Amino acid sequence: MSTADRPRTPRKPRPLRSRERREEIIHLAEDAGPAGVDELARHFGVTPSTIRRDLTHLSADGRLARTYGGAIAVPRGRAEPSLRQRDGQAYEAKRAIARWAAGRIGAGQSLLLDAGTTVALVARMLPTGAGLTVTTASLPVLGHVQAREDLTTRCLGGRLRPLSDAFVGPLTEVALERLSFDLAFLGADGVTSDGALCEAESEQTRLKELMARRSHRVYVLVHAAKLGHRPFHAWARLEGPWTLVTDDGAPPETVEEFRRAGRDVVVVPGADQNPNHHSTTGS
């Protein structure tokens, strides 16, 4: 039954505290399907901007997934894990991907490093004495480069998103609009063969799209389990060409699906193989 078939009855006057209202938003999204901002505002007798703040808060906590104009419940057991929880997942594959990515960096280049555990490993492997400029919104990346006197480091501020340990939002986007980069290394929660990157909330996807637009060359770094993965409902579509970099744990038929769709794909061998050997196809 659709949401339209199950109208939400407006609440009686007693105003709810923000925590109570957010808990009820979760229950409504679980019981009656997608929750729209205007509908929720009428239900609770508050302004749409209040509901948007509630949805942003719940999305940042991994309890709702943002959609255009509202949010849906995250299926039980599929809440967004924190960066710390993800840190040890597929570590050898991430390290091999990061080593390959660091090998693409040339002297004097301006780099944009996204949030995410694989990109943070790239920060640990940056070449020394190369006169690089590193820009990031990621706290783990900053932690890896802050003591490097051979780097110029720039931090993009904004709203701190605790689950990803990174800044997002309008302030981050404004800062990006004033910069450009030779290389961008992006992460993602999932990537599909039609060229879309999946994230938990729309602020993350908007930021990735802007990062790609401001960069001459874009690499999306994801280990094999993320190929075709759709854990959330916010999506980024990158306007220009970009290269997908994954590990050799990816099934050949999945890699071929991406290539048939015209994606530029690099498959990096495992950590115990020669990191300079790779396979690629142009888009």
Side-chain angles (χ1 to χ4, degrees):
M1 185 180 295
S2 70
T3 303
D5 295 328
R6 293 174 291 177
R8 297 179 175 94
T9 304
R11 286 190 53 83
K12 298 301 180 183
R14 183 183 84 83
L16 295 178
R17 297 174 180 174
S18 60
R19 180 177 297 179
E20 294 174 319
R21 186 176 60 250
R22 289 166 184 170
E23 289 299 323
E24 188 160 340
I25 288 173
I26 294 289
H27 294 317
L28 287 171
E30 290 175 340
D31 293 342
V37 170
D38 292 338
E39 183 185 7
L40 290 172
R42 289 192 299 270
H43 176 81
F44 291 106
V46 297
T47 65
S49 61
T50 296
I51 294 298
R52 290 190 188 95
R53 285 194 294 271
D54 289 338
L55 297 182
T56 295
H57 180 92
L58 292 168
S59 178
D61 285 346
R63 304 186 67 194
L64 282 182
R66 293 299 298 270
T67 64
Y68 182 78
I72 66 171
V74 174
R76 295 187 185 277
R78 294 288 299 278
E80 182 188 4
S82 69
L83 197 72
R84 183 169 299 179
Q85 290 172 315
R86 286 180 279 146
D87 195 42
Q89 297 175 352
Y91 180 78
E92 293 302 325
K94 293 176 182 178
R95 186 171 64 174
I97 292 168
R99 185 186 297 116
W100 184 93
R104 307 308 107 192
I105 298 169
Q109 290 187 317
S110 177
L111 312 178
L112 177 58
L113 300 186
D114 190 15
T117 53
T118 305
V119 178
L121 288 172
V122 177
R124 290 175 54 181
M125 300 178 185
L126 294 176
T128 59
L132 303 174
T133 297
V134 177
T135 301
T136 189
S138 164
L139 294 183
V141 169
L142 285 174
H144 292 315
V145 302
Q146 63 180 351
R148 293 272 304 264
E149 295 182 357
D150 61 326
L151 301 176
T152 298
T153 303
R154 298 184 294 205
C155 178
L156 303 170
R159 176 180 70 84
L160 180 62
R161 188 173 187 274
L163 278 171
S164 54
D165 269 355
F167 295 105
V168 296
L171 291 176
T172 319
E173 295 167 15
V174 167
L176 269 174
E177 290 282 10
R178 296 177 176 270
L179 301 169
S180 63
F181 311 94
D182 297 307
L183 303 178
F185 296 103
L186 307 184
D189 288 325
V191 184
T192 57
S193 59
D194 63 354
L197 311 186
C198 182
E199 291 292 341
E201 62 174 41
S202 59
E203 282 187 313
Q204 294 173 288
T205 58
R206 286 198 303 270
L207 195 60
K208 290 184 193 299
E209 289 171 351
L210 181 57
M211 287 176 168
R213 286 202 300 269
R214 305 303 299 168
S215 304
H216 177 69
R217 188 74 186 264
V218 178
Y219 296 99
V220 177
L221 312 180
V222 294
H223 63 82
K226 293 184 176 183
L227 299 183
H229 193 42
R230 304 167 181 264
F232 304 111
H233 297 271
W235 294 89
R237 289 193 178 276
L238 310 187
E239 294 177 351
W242 51 276
T243 299
L244 171 66
V245 186
T246 191
D247 64 277
D248 59 2
E253 61 272 19
T254 300
V255 174
E256 185 58 30
E257 177 185 340
F258 277 81
R259 289 177 170 164
R260 283 199 306 269
R263 303 294 139 207
D264 186 28
V265 183
V266 171
V267 178
V268 179
D272 59 340
Q273 301 179 44
N274 178 3
N276 293 318
H277 172 72
H278 63 276
S279 125
T280 181
T281 183
S283 58

Short mmCIF file of all heavy atoms in Angstrom, two decimals, residues 239-263:
data_model
loop_
_atom_site.label_atom_id
_atom_site.label_comp_id
_atom_site.label_asym_id
_atom_site.label_seq_id
_atom_site.Cartn_x
_atom_site.Cartn_y
_atom_site.Cartn_z
N GLU A 239 30.02 14.30 -13.80
CA GLU A 239 29.76 14.81 -15.15
C GLU A 239 30.83 14.41 -16.16
O GLU A 239 30.52 14.04 -17.28
CB GLU A 239 29.63 16.34 -15.10
CG GLU A 239 28.42 16.83 -14.32
CD GLU A 239 28.38 18.33 -14.23
OE1 GLU A 239 29.38 18.98 -14.64
OE2 GLU A 239 27.38 18.87 -13.74
N GLY A 240 32.08 14.51 -15.78
CA GLY A 240 33.17 14.24 -16.72
C GLY A 240 33.67 12.82 -16.62
O GLY A 240 33.13 11.99 -15.88
N PRO A 241 34.73 12.50 -17.36
CA PRO A 241 35.31 11.15 -17.28
C PRO A 241 35.98 10.91 -15.93
O PRO A 241 36.49 11.84 -15.30
CB PRO A 241 36.33 11.15 -18.42
CG PRO A 241 36.66 12.59 -18.65
CD PRO A 241 35.42 13.36 -18.34
N TRP A 242 35.94 9.67 -15.48
CA TRP A 242 36.61 9.29 -14.25
C TRP A 242 37.00 7.82 -14.33
O TRP A 242 36.50 7.08 -15.17
CB TRP A 242 35.73 9.54 -13.02
CG TRP A 242 34.34 8.96 -13.07
CD1 TRP A 242 33.24 9.52 -13.65
CD2 TRP A 242 33.91 7.70 -12.52
NE1 TRP A 242 32.15 8.69 -13.49
CE2 TRP A 242 32.52 7.57 -12.80
CE3 TRP A 242 34.55 6.68 -11.82
CZ2 TRP A 242 31.77 6.47 -12.40
CZ3 TRP A 242 33.81 5.57 -11.41
CH2 TRP A 242 32.43 5.48 -11.70
N THR A 243 37.91 7.43 -13.47
CA THR A 243 38.46 6.08 -13.49
C THR A 243 38.08 5.34 -12.22
O THR A 243 38.31 5.84 -11.12
CB THR A 243 39.99 6.10 -13.63
OG1 THR A 243 40.34 6.75 -14.87
CG2 THR A 243 40.56 4.70 -13.62
N LEU A 244 37.50 4.17 -12.38
CA LEU A 244 37.18 3.29 -11.26
C LEU A 244 38.40 2.43 -10.96
O LEU A 244 38.93 1.77 -11.86
CB LEU A 244 35.98 2.42 -11.62
CG LEU A 244 35.64 1.28 -10.64
CD1 LEU A 244 35.18 1.84 -9.31
CD2 LEU A 244 34.57 0.38 -11.25
N VAL A 245 38.83 2.42 -9.71
CA VAL A 245 39.98 1.61 -9.30
C VAL A 245 39.50 0.63 -8.24
O VAL A 245 39.01 1.04 -7.18
CB VAL A 245 41.12 2.49 -8.74
CG1 VAL A 245 42.35 1.63 -8.46
CG2 VAL A 245 41.46 3.62 -9.69
N THR A 246 39.64 -0.66 -8.52
CA THR A 246 39.21 -1.69 -7.59
C THR A 246 40.29 -2.77 -7.49
O THR A 246 41.35 -2.66 -8.12
CB THR A 246 37.85 -2.27 -8.02
OG1 THR A 246 37.33 -3.09 -6.97
CG2 THR A 246 37.96 -3.06 -9.31
N ASP A 247 40.01 -3.82 -6.72
CA ASP A 247 41.02 -4.87 -6.53
C ASP A 247 40.63 -6.13 -7.30
O ASP A 247 39.52 -6.27 -7.80
CB ASP A 247 41.16 -5.18 -5.04
CG ASP A 247 39.88 -5.76 -4.45
OD1 ASP A 247 38.99 -4.97 -4.09
OD2 ASP A 247 39.77 -6.99 -4.37
N ASP A 248 41.56 -7.08 -7.36
CA ASP A 248 41.34 -8.27 -8.18
C ASP A 248 40.45 -9.31 -7.51
O ASP A 248 40.28 -10.40 -8.03
CB ASP A 248 42.67 -8.90 -8.60
CG ASP A 248 43.53 -9.31 -7.41
OD1 ASP A 248 43.09 -9.13 -6.26
OD2 ASP A 248 44.65 -9.79 -7.64
N GLY A 249 39.84 -8.93 -6.37
CA GLY A 249 38.80 -9.77 -5.79
C GLY A 249 37.46 -9.58 -6.48
O GLY A 249 36.52 -10.33 -6.22
N ALA A 250 37.38 -8.61 -7.39
CA ALA A 250 36.14 -8.36 -8.12
C ALA A 250 35.90 -9.49 -9.13
O ALA A 250 36.80 -9.84 -9.89
CB ALA A 250 36.22 -7.02 -8.83
N PRO A 251 34.68 -10.05 -9.18
CA PRO A 251 34.40 -11.09 -10.18
C PRO A 251 34.62 -10.55 -11.58
O PRO A 251 34.21 -9.42 -11.89
CB PRO A 251 32.92 -11.40 -9.93
CG PRO A 251 32.65 -10.97 -8.53
CD PRO A 251 33.54 -9.78 -8.30
N PRO A 252 35.25 -11.32 -12.47
CA PRO A 252 35.50 -10.84 -13.83
C PRO A 252 34.24 -10.39 -14.55
O PRO A 252 34.26 -9.42 -15.31
CB PRO A 252 36.14 -12.06 -14.51
CG PRO A 252 36.75 -12.83 -13.39
CD PRO A 252 35.85 -12.64 -12.22
N GLU A 253 33.11 -11.08 -14.30
CA GLU A 253 31.88 -10.69 -14.99
C GLU A 253 31.37 -9.33 -14.51
O GLU A 253 30.77 -8.58 -15.29
CB GLU A 253 30.79 -11.76 -14.78
CG GLU A 253 30.37 -12.00 -13.35
CD GLU A 253 31.22 -13.06 -12.64
OE1 GLU A 253 32.35 -13.34 -13.12
OE2 GLU A 253 30.75 -13.59 -11.62
N THR A 254 31.66 -8.99 -13.24
CA THR A 254 31.27 -7.67 -12.73
C THR A 254 32.13 -6.59 -13.35
O THR A 254 31.62 -5.53 -13.77
CB THR A 254 31.39 -7.63 -11.19
OG1 THR A 254 30.55 -8.64 -10.63
CG2 THR A 254 30.99 -6.27 -10.65
N VAL A 255 33.43 -6.84 -13.42
CA VAL A 255 34.33 -5.88 -14.06
C VAL A 255 33.93 -5.68 -15.52
O VAL A 255 33.89 -4.55 -16.03
CB VAL A 255 35.79 -6.36 -13.96
CG1 VAL A 255 36.72 -5.44 -14.75
CG2 VAL A 255 36.22 -6.41 -12.49
N GLU A 256 33.60 -6.77 -16.19
CA GLU A 256 33.22 -6.68 -17.60
C GLU A 256 31.92 -5.88 -17.77
O GLU A 256 31.76 -5.15 -18.75
CB GLU A 256 33.05 -8.08 -18.18
CG GLU A 256 32.76 -8.10 -19.68
CD GLU A 256 33.83 -7.41 -20.50
OE1 GLU A 256 35.02 -7.40 -20.08
OE2 GLU A 256 33.49 -6.86 -21.56
N GLU A 257 31.01 -6.00 -16.81
CA GLU A 257 29.77 -5.22 -16.87
C GLU A 257 30.07 -3.73 -16.84
O GLU A 257 29.48 -2.95 -17.60
CB GLU A 257 28.88 -5.60 -15.69
CG GLU A 257 27.59 -4.80 -15.61
CD GLU A 257 26.80 -5.11 -14.35
OE1 GLU A 257 27.03 -6.17 -13.74
OE2 GLU A 257 25.95 -4.28 -13.97
N PHE A 258 31.00 -3.31 -15.99
CA PHE A 258 31.39 -1.90 -15.92
C PHE A 258 32.05 -1.47 -17.23
O PHE A 258 31.78 -0.38 -17.73
CB PHE A 258 32.33 -1.67 -14.74
CG PHE A 258 31.63 -1.48 -13.43
CD1 PHE A 258 31.18 -2.57 -12.71
CD2 PHE A 258 31.42 -0.21 -12.91
CE1 PHE A 258 30.52 -2.41 -11.49
CE2 PHE A 258 30.77 -0.03 -11.71
CZ PHE A 258 30.32 -1.14 -10.99
N ARG A 259 32.88 -2.33 -17.79
CA ARG A 259 33.57 -1.96 -19.02
C ARG A 259 32.61 -1.89 -20.21
O ARG A 259 32.73 -1.01 -21.06
CB ARG A 259 34.71 -2.95 -19.27
CG ARG A 259 35.85 -2.76 -18.29
CD ARG A 259 36.95 -3.78 -18.47
NE ARG A 259 38.11 -3.41 -17.66
CZ ARG A 259 39.10 -4.22 -17.36
NH1 ARG A 259 39.07 -5.46 -17.80
NH2 ARG A 259 40.11 -3.80 -16.63
N ARG A 260 31.66 -2.80 -20.25
CA ARG A 260 30.67 -2.75 -21.34
C ARG A 260 29.85 -1.46 -21.27
O ARG A 260 29.37 -0.96 -22.29
CB ARG A 260 29.73 -3.96 -21.27
CG ARG A 260 30.33 -5.25 -21.78
CD ARG A 260 29.24 -6.27 -22.10
NE ARG A 260 28.35 -6.48 -20.96
CZ ARG A 260 28.53 -7.41 -20.04
NH1 ARG A 260 29.56 -8.24 -20.11
NH2 ARG A 260 27.68 -7.54 -19.05
N ALA A 261 29.68 -0.94 -20.05
CA ALA A 261 28.95 0.31 -19.88
C ALA A 261 29.82 1.53 -20.20
O ALA A 261 29.37 2.67 -20.05
CB ALA A 261 28.42 0.42 -18.45
N GLY A 262 31.07 1.29 -20.63
CA GLY A 262 31.94 2.40 -21.01
C GLY A 262 32.76 2.99 -19.89
O GLY A 262 33.34 4.07 -20.05
N ARG A 263 32.83 2.28 -18.76
CA ARG A 263 33.61 2.79 -17.63
C ARG A 263 35.10 2.52 -17.83
O ARG A 263 35.48 1.47 -18.35
CB ARG A 263 33.17 2.15 -16.32
CG ARG A 263 31.70 2.31 -16.00
CD ARG A 263 31.34 3.75 -15.75
NE ARG A 263 30.06 4.07 -16.36
CZ ARG A 263 29.70 5.27 -16.76
NH1 ARG A 263 30.54 6.28 -16.63
NH2 ARG A 263 28.52 5.47 -17.30
#
